Amino acid sequence: MNQYENGNKILWDELTDVHIKSYGVDKFKQGKSTLDEIQLREVGDVKGKTLLHLQCHFGLDTLSWAREGAIVTGVDFVEKAIAYANKLKDETGLNARFICSNIYELEKNLDEQFDIVYTSQGVLCWLRDLNRWAQIIAKYLKPGGIFYLMESHPIAHIFDDTIKGQLKITMPYFHNDDPIIWDDHHPDYSDQSHLIENPSYEWQWSLSDIINSLINAGLQIEFLNEYNKEFCFALPDMVRQDDGWWYLPGYEKNLPLMFTIRARKS
Ligand SMILES: C[S@@+](CC[C@H](N)C(=O)[O-])C[C@H]1O[C@@H](n2cnc3c(N)ncnc32)[C@H](O)[C@@H]1O
């Protein structure tokens, strides 16, 4: 693990405690899925299929896929998150396996192939090497298996996320090997009352970086969809509508905020 990943692991250790309180665990225990209608539709029927969830945090989405009938394995590098995922598994009686591992070291901890490799919502910015990431996905897919990603659109990352009332471009669209360091104690996206203590080290990846990494790993892109809404509060003017998605009023026809990809291993 390099120094930046180590820093991010410390950050995610901090945020795991916050999110266990803010992510709606009680509703999940009562049976509510954390998966939205787009992911359910675009991934398709998972009943009886094996599913590997990369960067699963403390397992709510992984366990929601188990409720849909998938045979699930979740991976994350934060020990506390994996311990809590196992606790949730026991409390809900759902069938799942959780592995504590950096995804870049997963080959030391897991040797099998899956029908589906899945990752979503706030995952790519933590990854230092996208070509390697795509190779790992390809390695863990069975022939004919699918990879699915739902993620914030990279264009949504270029705006100053502190200014209300206007969109001001202050951040790069294109990738740089040196991470962007955030150490301004900004509010957490899920619990605005929590000011983040630890720095984060994040990498911007353009849409072509993402697509080409998957193509270079031998996967065939089945679709790329762009959406005018987000899964979390990412810019200060965003408003959550009754459908649960976050929108940027006035820009619904101008700006993609989220995308999904499905790709297949031949
Ligand atoms: C935004 S969260 C995951 C998204 C998930 N949909 C959620 O919000 O519950 C990002 C996750 O990536 C994990 N992570 C970051 N870098 C990682 C790495 N190199 N290997 C494994 N997990 C990593 C963090 O621990 C964190 O749980």
Side-chain angles (χ1 to χ4, degrees):
M1 186 156 356
N2 75 20
Q3 55 167 321
Y4 301 126
E5 278 177 320
N6 207 33
N8 286 335
K9 193 165 174 287
I10 293 165
L11 168 80
W12 279 104
D13 198 68
E14 172 194 340
L15 295 184
T16 298
D17 289 325
V18 178
H19 293 168
I20 284 170
K21 293 189 196 117
S22 66
Y23 264 33
V25 168
D26 286 345
K27 284 190 181 149
F28 173 78
K29 285 186 191 170
Q30 287 159 17
K32 189 174 186 300
S33 175
T34 55
L35 301 169
D36 54 79
E37 74 286 358
I38 295 176
Q39 297 189 77
L40 289 167
R41 185 182 67 241
E42 291 186 343
V43 172
D45 185 10
V46 298
K47 280 189 193 67
K49 294 185 180 163
T50 53
L51 182 150
L52 174 64
H53 182 181
L54 301 177
Q55 296 173 254
C56 70
H57 206 13
F58 58 93
L60 287 183
D61 291 346
T62 327
L63 292 167
S64 292
W65 283 119
R67 278 195 180 132
E68 297 297 320
I71 302 155
V72 299
T73 301
V75 176
D76 202 281
F77 69 174
V78 171
E79 289 86 358
K80 190 189 288 175
I82 292 299
Y84 195 76
N86 276 317
K87 184 168 174 289
L88 276 178
K89 175 185 88 164
D90 293 342
E91 285 174 11
T92 54
L94 290 162
N95 195 13
R97 168 178 55 171
F98 289 100
I99 298 172
C100 190
S101 172
N102 188 323
I103 62 153
Y104 290 116
E105 292 161 15
L106 192 53
E107 284 159 284
K108 293 183 199 156
N109 302 307
L110 181 67
D111 182 22
E112 60 193 86
Q113 289 188 314
F114 296 81
D115 297 311
I116 302 165
V117 175
Y118 162 85
T119 191
S120 78
Q121 303 187 342
V123 286
L124 298 183
C125 65
W126 313 107
L127 301 179
R128 59 180 151 83
D129 184 341
L130 224 52
N131 282 320
R132 183 77 198 110
W133 165 79
Q135 287 162 4
I136 291 164
I137 290 163
K139 176 196 151 70
Y140 283 109
L141 275 176
K142 290 180 187 171
I146 60 155
F147 167 65
Y148 182 83
L149 166 71
M150 171 182 274
E151 186 55 293
S152 288
H153 200 292
I155 201 76
H157 301 162
I158 69 173
F159 304 109
D160 189 311
D161 65 0
T162 61
I163 303 177
K164 278 180 88 73
Q166 62 163 306
L167 289 180
K168 186 174 176 195
I169 297 174
T170 52
M171 301 304 293
Y173 177 75
F174 295 106
H175 175 74
N176 193 312
D177 283 344
D178 294 328
I180 299 163
I181 303 173
W182 297 100
D183 56 2
D184 56 350
H185 304 289
H186 57 276
D188 176 60
Y189 62 85
S190 167
D191 176 359
Q192 295 282 307
S193 71
H194 179 80
L195 300 182
I196 298 177
E197 291 160 20
N198 289 289
S200 71
Y201 306 91
E202 302 183 29
W203 289 272
Q204 165 76 349
W205 298 102
S206 69
L207 206 51
S208 54
D209 291 331
I210 299 161
I211 292 286
N212 288 334
S213 71
L214 296 168
I215 292 171
N216 292 339
L219 301 184
Q220 290 170 345
I221 308 293
E222 292 193 326
F223 59 72
L224 162 68
N225 290 328
E226 296 174 289
Y227 293 91
N228 65 351
K229 54 193 177 185
E230 257 281 33
F231 47 81
C232 68
F233 177 63
L235 290 166
D237 290 319
M238 278 186 170
V239 175
R240 191 171 208 176
Q241 293 191 0
D242 291 345
D243 61 6
W245 297 100
W246 293 86
Y247 293 81
L248 201 51
Y251 290 95
E252 291 90 342
K253 292 186 178 158
N254 306 89
L255 197 61
L257 295 173
M258 180 176 87
F259 72 98
T260 59
I261 292 176
R262 197 173 75 190
R264 194 174 292 273
K265 179 171 168 176
S266 52

